[in-house]
């Protein structure tokens, strides 16, 4: 039997029907029911990774909750192998007045561990969460990151047959994000069946064996990641709502001291775009300017060298192009302290007129984990002298015309746009 | 006829399940229950200097206030042969078990929603939580008080009484928990009814102190009948088991439906919040 088997699962949220005096005195029709899931059938073989995509309200979380067992379907069959570990909301059962130990013990009891097994698991949890003497304190004294570390360590202390992740491929920050991600990847290597939903299509394509696209509680597409995600991306591009990249919050140049203090695997130190510091607008001319991005970073020298990625988007979040050192097979050189610099140039920038946003990412060596990001490293104000519409100029060739004169190849180079 | 038989069979099964399944569940999840009881005790007394001692001091001060008003000031003497404390203390502790358990049940599922809302949790053990916590406080206290006032044999009887009382109270815990979630207005009404029930239970006075027409009301109060049995067991009054069927029936009648209803409503409980 496959570890996750769902057959014709439907979930209906009935309208609010709570009894109240007002309703008794003036009966009102109940609110109409909301169909969260409709006719969902999934058969997931052991060791498979299923990615779930869909807009907000598509039914992703409801589906994960039903598989996790925190919700029951209105109709249909659900068979899920045990044990299940579900990271739906980290630390949801924790109480601020209890110490780290007490909360961990309760969490383990919730996982079904008895007193003896709990004591054994506690030491693993303390090691993984690396909270030290803070485990003796009530968690109301913890930072959010510490609570997340403890909750993740408790939830994943058992080897699950089925792992369910709701937008939580990695948690915490710095070194812990890397370790939590590695633990999830270890579950994957050990043959756990994984279901996860994410808005990061990049992660889904990189990790999932199969992708389901949900919309309005129905499966719109189910299949290989590249096919489903292509259709989903096309659907998102047509959608009226837009996504605006977040403004940069974090300052740069924290250097080695920050790495030491927070045990962060890698950190951006300085970004310059055409010689200007990050966060500023840069004026460029289509096919005449060169876009030069310099990224300085520091990293833990004991870890593999990180990767650096760039995405150029429109202000409403549509990706125009992206690249990374990992995709291009570039291995970054670093000094003995782990510092390094990456310079990327786009000569004769082929972007057409408009406003664009440059985002810079510092990634793990495999590109799956984002160490640090600067979503708005620069605003690119591109001017173009010609009347062309769109985002980019493509290399092109005109076919021979009627009078027999063949037009030369038109590479999108600067001189083609200097009109005399 | 066949339909009636089917219904009867289902009813019998429901009652059977209601009798043993909550306790079976408690046994299966005993480690989790132990953790939850500890958690509850810490949370209730969080931020205080005396900590868990307040679980005893709180009702202790309440009892002290009643003693002061009714004994020291008003000189109430429920029974000629016994002092106020001889009568009042063994009677008030079982009442506090009932009142605190049911009051807590009314708000329990909302209070601990973080435990089960987004994680896998055996919801049906939750109504046991206030019952066990309060029972663990008041049963040794009752035994100690009765042992001091009426001797060790009476203490043994009083302990047995507290065990039976907890058993009878369990189905009402499930009903009150559901009320708190699905009928919060009614939950406030139930708190008022519990207060009313306190004054119509012979704790601060003996039944014979009431006017005769009001004494009939006590016959409809299962808690009054139960206390009458307790008074008989510990030697405050003659033991009269003729009326014991009434509180038993009040509890046993709802045992099956309460358990089945709570189990069936488990999904709605998660969604109601």
């Amino acid at each position: 039997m496959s570890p996750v088997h769902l057959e014709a699962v439907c979930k209906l949220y009935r309208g609010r029907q709570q009894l109240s005096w007002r309703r008794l005195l003036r009966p009102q029709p109940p609110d109409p029911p909301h169909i969260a899931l409709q006719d969902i059938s999934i058969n997931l073989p052991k060791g498979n990774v299923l990615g779930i995509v869909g807009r907000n309200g598509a039914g992703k979380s409801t589906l994960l909750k039903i598989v996790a067992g925190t919700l029951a379907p209105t109709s249909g069959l659900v068979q899920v192998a045990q044990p299940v570990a579900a990271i739906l909301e980290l630390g949801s059962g924790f109480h601020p007045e209890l110490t780290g130990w007490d909360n961990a013990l309760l969490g383990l009891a919730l996982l079904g561990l008895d007193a003896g097994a709990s004591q054994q698991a506690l030491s693993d949890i303390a090691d993984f969460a690396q909270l030290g003497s803070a485990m003796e304190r009530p968690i109301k004294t913890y930072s959010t990151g510490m609570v997340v570390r403890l909750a993740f360590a408790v939830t994943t202390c058992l080897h699950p047959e089925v792992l369910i992740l709701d937008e939580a491929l990695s948690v915490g920050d710095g070194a812990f994000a890397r370790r939590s991600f590695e633990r999830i990847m270890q579950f994957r290597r050990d043959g756990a069946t994984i279901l996860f939903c994410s808005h990061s299509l990049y992660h889904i394509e990189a990790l999932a064996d199969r992708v389901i696209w949900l919309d309005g509680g129905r499966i719109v597409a189910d299949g290989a990641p590249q096919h489903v995600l292509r259709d989903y991306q096309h659907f998102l591009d047509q959608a009226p709502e837009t996504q605006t990249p977040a403004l940069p919050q974090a300052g740069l140049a924290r250097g080695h001291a920050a790495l030491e203090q927070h045990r962060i695997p890698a950190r951006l130190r300085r970004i310059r775009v055409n010689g200007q510091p990050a966060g500023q607008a840069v004026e460029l001319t289509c096919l005449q300017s060169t876009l030069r991005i310099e990224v300085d970073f520091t990293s833990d020298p004991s870890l593999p060298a990180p990767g650096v990625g760039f995405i150029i988007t429109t202000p409403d979040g549509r990706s125009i192009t992206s690249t990374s050192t990992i995709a291009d097979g570039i291995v970054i050189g670093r000094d003995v302290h782990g510092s390094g610099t990456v310079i990327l140039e786009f000569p004769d920038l082929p972007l057409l007129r408009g406003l664009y946003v440059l985002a810079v990412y510092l990634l793990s060596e495999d590109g799956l984990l984002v160490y640090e990001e600067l979503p708005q490293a620069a605003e690119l104000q591109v001017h173009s002298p010609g009347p062309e519409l769109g985002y980019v100029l493509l290399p092109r060739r005109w076919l021979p015309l009627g009078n027999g004169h063949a037009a030369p190849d038109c590479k999108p180079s600067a001189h083609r746009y200097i009109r005399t | 006829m066949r339909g009636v038989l089917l219904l009867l069979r289902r009813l019998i099964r429901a009652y059977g399940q209601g009798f043993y399944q909550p306790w079976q569940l408690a046994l299966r999840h005993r480690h989790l229950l132990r953790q939850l009881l500890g958690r509850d005790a810490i949370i209730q007394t969080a931020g205080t200097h005396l900590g868990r001692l307040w679980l005893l001091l709180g009702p202790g001060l309440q009892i002290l206030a009643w003693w002061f008003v009714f004994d020291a000031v008003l000189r109430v003497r429920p029974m000629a042969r016994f002092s106020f404390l001889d009568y009042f203390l063994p009677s008030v502790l079982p009442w506090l078990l009932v009142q605190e358990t049911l009051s807590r049940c009314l708000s329990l599922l909302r209070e601990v929603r973080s435990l089960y809302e987004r994680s896998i949790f055996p919801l049906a053990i939750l109504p046991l939580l206030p019952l066990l916590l309060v029972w663990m406080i008041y049963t040794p206290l009752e035994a100690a008080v009765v042992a001091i006032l009426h001797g060790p044999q009476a203490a043994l009887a009083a302990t047995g009484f507290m065990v039976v009382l907890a058993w009878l109270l369990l189905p009402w815990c499930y009903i009150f928990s559901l009320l708190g979630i699905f009928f919060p207005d009614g939950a406030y009404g139930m708190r008022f009814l519990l207060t009313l029930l306190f004054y119509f239970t012979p704790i601060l006075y003996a039944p014979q102190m009431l006017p005769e027409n009001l004494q009939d009301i006590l016959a409809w109060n299962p808690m009054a009948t139960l206390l009458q049995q307790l008074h008989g067991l510990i030697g405050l009054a003659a033991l009269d088991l003729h009326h014991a069927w009434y509180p038993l029936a009040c509890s046993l009648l709802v045992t099956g439906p309460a358990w089945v209803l709570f189990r069936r409503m488990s999904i709605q409980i998660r969604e109601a919040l």
Side-chain angles (χ1 to χ4, degrees):
Chain A
M1 195 192 89
S2 55
V4 178
H5 178 73
L6 273 70
E7 210 173 292
V9 167
C10 293
K11 181 66 190 174
L12 198 79
Y13 288 111
R14 295 184 198 289
R16 193 175 160 83
Q17 285 178 316
Q18 197 174 54
L19 288 173
S20 68
W21 297 116
R22 189 179 294 174
R23 275 185 187 272
L24 286 176
L25 293 173
R26 194 194 294 173
Q28 297 163 356
D31 299 337
H34 166 64
I35 300 168
L37 288 178
Q38 218 172 338
D39 199 23
I40 304 289
S41 294
I42 299 169
N43 200 28
L44 199 58
K46 185 173 168 55
N48 260 35
V49 179
L50 175 72
I52 303 167
V53 293
R55 292 183 298 175
N56 290 334
K60 303 187 293 290
S61 294
T62 304
L63 177 59
L64 292 184
K65 281 185 200 170
I66 284 176
V67 177
T70 61
L71 272 185
T74 308
S75 66
L77 176 74
V78 178
Q79 288 176 324
V80 181
Q82 300 295 322
V84 175
I87 304 177
L88 300 174
E89 188 180 296
L90 282 170
S92 60
F94 283 5
H95 197 282
E97 295 293 345
L98 301 183
T99 64
W101 291 121
D102 290 337
N103 274 306
L105 266 171
L106 182 61
L108 292 172
L110 277 171
L111 292 175
L113 267 67
D114 60 19
S118 292
Q119 287 304 327
Q120 283 181 344
L122 273 180
S123 59
D124 291 343
I125 288 168
D127 285 347
F128 190 79
Q130 289 187 332
L131 290 171
S133 60
M135 287 292 282
E136 313 283 347
R137 299 201 318 254
I139 64 163
K140 67 182 178 186
T141 62
Y142 287 18
S143 67
T144 311
M146 290 163 81
V147 175
V148 163
R149 273 153 65 184
L150 179 61
F152 184 87
V154 171
T155 311
T156 59
C157 73
L158 294 181
H159 190 289
E161 192 70 28
V162 176
L163 178 65
I164 296 163
L165 307 161
D166 193 350
E167 295 279 357
L169 284 169
S170 68
V171 299
D173 48 15
F176 192 80
R178 186 184 168 90
R179 282 197 298 134
S180 63
F181 188 75
E182 276 171 0
R183 180 170 268 197
I184 288 171
M185 290 301 103
Q186 187 59 47
F187 287 149
R188 186 191 184 199
R189 286 191 289 276
D190 292 346
T193 305
I194 301 176
L195 288 89
F196 76 105
C197 71
S198 175
H199 287 290
S200 164
L201 303 190
Y202 172 72
H203 277 123
I204 290 199
E205 183 149 20
L207 295 173
D209 302 313
R210 177 179 159 195
V211 174
I212 281 176
W213 167 16
L214 286 177
D215 196 52
R218 284 179 176 276
I219 295 178
V220 179
D222 178 356
Q226 59 270 33
H227 297 133
V228 177
L229 293 179
R230 179 197 59 207
D231 294 346
Y232 180 60
Q233 183 63 60
H234 179 70
F235 168 76
L236 285 182
D237 290 342
Q238 308 287 321
E241 63 259 51
T242 55
Q243 299 166 337
T244 307
L247 289 171
Q249 297 295 322
L252 299 179
R254 278 164 282 211
H256 296 295
L259 280 181
E260 288 294 316
Q261 191 183 344
H262 301 292
R263 302 176 55 83
I264 294 164
R267 191 119 239 196
L268 292 165
R269 285 184 64 192
R270 193 186 66 144
I271 295 171
R272 295 185 77 78
V273 181
N274 281 14
Q276 295 192 50
Q280 296 201 1
V282 177
E283 301 275 333
L284 298 156
T285 306
C286 177
L287 295 180
Q288 291 181 24
S289 307
T290 293
L291 174 63
R292 181 186 165 94
I293 310 156
E294 294 169 52
V295 177
D296 293 350
F297 66 87
T298 53
S299 62
D300 185 341
S302 64
L303 293 172
V308 179
F310 305 91
I311 301 178
I312 295 176
T313 63
T314 57
D316 64 4
R318 290 171 203 273
S319 299
I320 305 300
T321 186
S322 67
T323 186
S324 70
T325 54
I326 299 151
D328 291 348
I330 309 289
V331 178
I332 304 172
R334 297 177 293 172
D335 64 18
V336 288
H337 303 296
S339 296
T341 300
V342 171
I343 301 172
L344 175 70
E345 280 190 350
F346 291 100
D348 304 332
L349 186 74
L351 287 177
L352 283 168
R353 77 166 63 79
L355 185 66
Y356 302 90
V357 177
L358 172 73
V360 178
Y361 295 86
L362 192 59
L363 307 161
S364 59
E365 70 281 4
D366 51 11
L368 294 176
L369 183 63
V370 178
Y371 289 146
E372 190 166 11
E373 63 184 293
L374 201 59
Q376 210 162 3
E379 272 188 6
L380 310 177
Q381 181 68 59
V382 182
H383 307 280
S384 57
E388 289 80 2
L389 300 173
Y391 296 119
V392 290
L393 272 176
L394 301 176
R396 61 197 184 278
R397 175 185 299 149
W398 293 99
L399 293 177
L401 302 174
N403 60 10
H405 293 289
D409 287 354
C410 293
K411 289 180 182 170
S413 57
H415 66 271
R416 296 281 167 210
Y417 285 84
I418 301 168
R419 289 157 201 260
T420 54
Chain B
M1 185 65 189
R2 198 177 156 184
V4 175
L5 277 175
L6 201 68
L7 185 74
L8 207 64
R9 197 191 303 165
R10 286 176 70 174
L11 260 175
I12 291 168
R13 195 188 306 148
Y15 276 102
Q17 288 173 351
F19 275 122
Y20 73 89
Q21 279 193 347
W23 302 109
Q24 194 182 40
L25 202 67
L27 197 66
R28 195 190 309 153
H29 295 286
R30 58 190 179 280
H31 179 59
L32 176 60
L33 260 177
R34 204 164 42 235
Q35 294 298 327
L36 288 172
L37 286 169
R39 174 187 189 270
D40 215 39
I42 292 171
I43 291 166
Q44 280 190 37
T45 54
T48 59
H49 288 296
L50 296 178
R52 273 167 262 190
L53 202 58
W54 275 114
L55 293 175
L56 282 176
L57 281 179
L61 289 174
Q62 171 81 62
I63 289 170
L64 195 70
W66 277 322
W67 165 80
F68 179 73
V69 173
F70 287 90
D71 192 21
V73 178
L74 297 175
R75 304 266 174 210
V76 174
R77 193 83 179 210
M79 285 183 171
R81 288 190 300 130
F82 299 100
S83 71
F84 177 79
L85 282 182
D86 284 347
Y87 178 86
F88 169 69
L89 278 182
S91 311
V92 77
L93 293 171
W95 167 258
L96 287 175
L97 167 71
V98 173
Q99 190 197 27
E100 285 189 21
T101 302
L102 294 182
S103 301
R104 182 80 201 289
C105 282
L106 288 171
S107 58
L108 177 79
L109 292 177
R110 284 176 191 278
E111 272 175 32
V112 299
R113 60 195 286 182
S114 68
L115 280 177
Y116 61 85
E117 223 173 7
R118 303 206 75 181
S119 51
I120 304 151
F121 190 88
L123 208 59
I125 65 165
L126 278 178
L128 284 163
L129 194 63
L131 177 62
L132 289 178
L133 184 68
V134 179
W135 187 85
M136 286 193 311
I137 295 168
Y138 288 115
T139 302
L141 210 60
E142 171 80 356
V145 161
V146 174
I148 293 165
L149 297 175
H150 302 284
Q153 256 192 330
L156 206 63
T159 307
F161 175 83
M162 293 295 268
V163 172
V164 173
L165 185 60
W167 198 291
L168 298 180
L169 203 53
L170 182 63
W172 292 103
C173 292
Y174 283 102
I175 290 173
F176 273 57
S177 300
L178 288 175
L179 263 178
I181 284 282
F182 295 107
F183 196 26
D185 301 73
Y188 280 98
M190 291 315 287
R191 285 194 180 93
F192 165 72
L193 281 181
L194 278 174
T195 310
L196 204 65
L197 197 66
F198 170 70
Y199 289 107
F200 277 98
T201 303
I203 296 167
L204 295 163
Y205 55 87
Q208 54 273 22
M209 290 168 75
L210 286 180
E212 255 183 51
N213 54 341
L214 282 179
Q215 282 185 27
D216 293 341
I217 295 177
L218 294 188
W220 292 97
N221 177 358
M223 199 55 207
T225 317
L226 271 173
L227 281 186
Q228 209 180 334
Q229 307 311 312
L230 174 71
H231 294 159
L233 286 169
I234 62 175
L236 279 172
L239 189 61
D240 176 17
L241 290 173
H242 288 101
H243 300 292
W245 66 270
Y246 178 59
L248 283 176
C250 283
S251 177
L252 298 186
L253 270 177
V254 293
T255 297
W259 173 246
V260 172
L261 194 66
F262 191 90
R263 294 252 327 250
R264 289 207 175 165
M265 298 296 275
S266 293
I267 300 159
Q268 282 85 348
I269 290 169
R270 289 179 195 276
E271 290 170 15
L273 295 170

